[in-house]
């Protein structure tokens, strides 16, 4: 299994670099990390920040992260990287069980890391590469972050086949609140609107 995956990613990266003309990228160093090393989670700074790398290499990195995550036992088979100006600025893997956090999906963690690194609450101009089509929660985070474009590997249907079925959530969103599986009970709206009025009237606020 590992040998096949190693060969696949080596070939993918070589093709990506040939197509983009980045002959100087150290594919062998990146490949060795995937094959196994004492520091599998550290990026090869030279290879993965070379501006000429194509999107195939970024997707290969996201898929690599998803495989490593399965092998490590830290979480589900999902990996993600955020790219700005041809460079990886953040990456994430699914850590739901490791962190006891149902929101710790690869895309969410990568977005958080990118925002912290870039010191900005929006990621305009950034692209996101994820090993699987985002779930509804991650899709919401992507829109709030103003990501420029999303590239994904596996389809939502592929994820459903191994137990990660998001279709139920999409169906819930389409139902009236009173008919959802988790009861949605409106209460104290008049009191809650006080904070909204205060926000609307607040001078100098930072819109987002």
């Amino acid at each position: 299994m590992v040998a096949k995956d190693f060969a696949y990613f080596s070939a993918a990266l070589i093709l990506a670099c040939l197509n983009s003309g980045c002959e100087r990228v150290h594919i062998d160093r990146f490949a060795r990390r995937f094959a196994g090393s004492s520091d599998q989670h550290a990026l090869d700074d030279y290879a993965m920040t070379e501006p000429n790398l194509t999107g195939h290499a970024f997707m290969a990195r996201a898929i690599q992260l998803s495989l490593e995550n399965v092998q490590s036992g830290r979480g589900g088979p999902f990996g993600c990287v955020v790219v700005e100006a041809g460079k990886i600025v953040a990456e994430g893997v699914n850590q739901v069980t490791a962190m006891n956090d149902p929101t710790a999906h690869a895309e969410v963690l990568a977005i958080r890391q990118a925002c912290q690194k870039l010191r900005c609450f929006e990621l305009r101009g950034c692209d996101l590469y994820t090993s699987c089509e985002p779930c509804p929660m991650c899709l919401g985070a992507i829109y709030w972050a103003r990501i420029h474009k999303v590239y994904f590997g596996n389809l939502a249907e592929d994820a459903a086949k191994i137990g990660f079925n998001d279709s139920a959530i999409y169906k819930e969103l389409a139902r009236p609140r009173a008919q959802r599986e988790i009861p949605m009970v409106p209460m104290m709206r008049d009191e809650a609107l006080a904070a909204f009025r205060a926000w609307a009237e607040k001078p100098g606020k930072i819109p987002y």
Side-chain angles (χ1 to χ4, degrees):
M1 176 70 176
V2 173
K4 286 184 179 180
D5 293 332
F6 169 70
Y8 170 79
F9 282 104
S10 296
L13 287 170
I14 290 170
L15 286 173
C17 288
L18 288 176
N19 290 335
S20 62
C22 53
E23 294 87 354
R24 293 167 48 243
V25 175
H26 290 206
I27 298 172
D28 57 331
R29 283 159 49 191
F30 182 87
R32 281 200 299 274
R33 289 197 190 282
F34 180 74
S37 72
S38 60
D39 188 18
Q40 289 192 0
H41 302 290
L43 283 172
D44 182 324
D45 291 335
Y46 184 75
M48 293 310 295
T49 58
E50 173 61 42
N52 289 328
L53 276 177
T54 68
H56 289 84
F58 297 132
M59 179 58 74
R61 177 58 180 165
I63 297 171
Q64 176 196 6
L65 288 168
S66 70
L67 281 163
E68 288 179 350
N69 209 45
V70 173
Q71 293 162 357
S72 71
R74 289 192 310 273
F78 306 97
C80 177
V81 299
V82 175
V83 174
E84 181 191 45
K87 297 181 181 181
I88 291 179
V89 295
E91 57 183 32
V93 295
N94 181 284
Q95 296 191 53
V96 169
T97 55
M99 298 177 67
N100 292 318
D101 181 355
T103 71
H105 288 200
E107 296 93 332
V108 170
L109 296 183
I111 287 171
R112 289 175 182 170
Q113 184 184 114
C115 288
Q116 290 171 2
K117 184 173 181 178
L118 299 175
R119 298 180 180 277
C120 184
F121 54 80
E122 292 183 348
L123 298 175
R124 295 182 187 274
C126 292
D127 293 334
L128 185 143
Y129 293 79
T130 177
S131 63
C132 183
E133 190 174 358
C135 75
M137 177 184 71
C138 294
L139 189 61
I142 287 166
Y143 273 94
W144 277 112
R146 273 61 172 188
I147 292 287
H148 171 252
K149 188 178 292 186
V150 176
Y151 300 87
F152 59 92
N154 292 310
L155 302 176
E157 292 86 346
D158 300 323
K161 291 176 182 177
I162 60 168
F164 298 96
N165 191 354
D166 300 326
S167 62
I169 300 176
Y170 283 109
K171 290 177 181 176
E172 283 285 286
L173 292 174
R175 291 173 180 165
R177 298 185 188 94
Q179 297 178 17
R180 292 175 184 168
E181 183 176 341
I182 297 176
M184 305 287 291
V185 183
M187 61 186 300
M188 297 181 65
R189 182 187 178 197
D190 290 341
E191 291 81 357
L193 282 170
F196 281 14
R197 287 192 292 268
W199 173 261
E201 298 167 3
K202 181 179 176 61
K205 59 178 175 285
I206 301 175
Y208 63 94

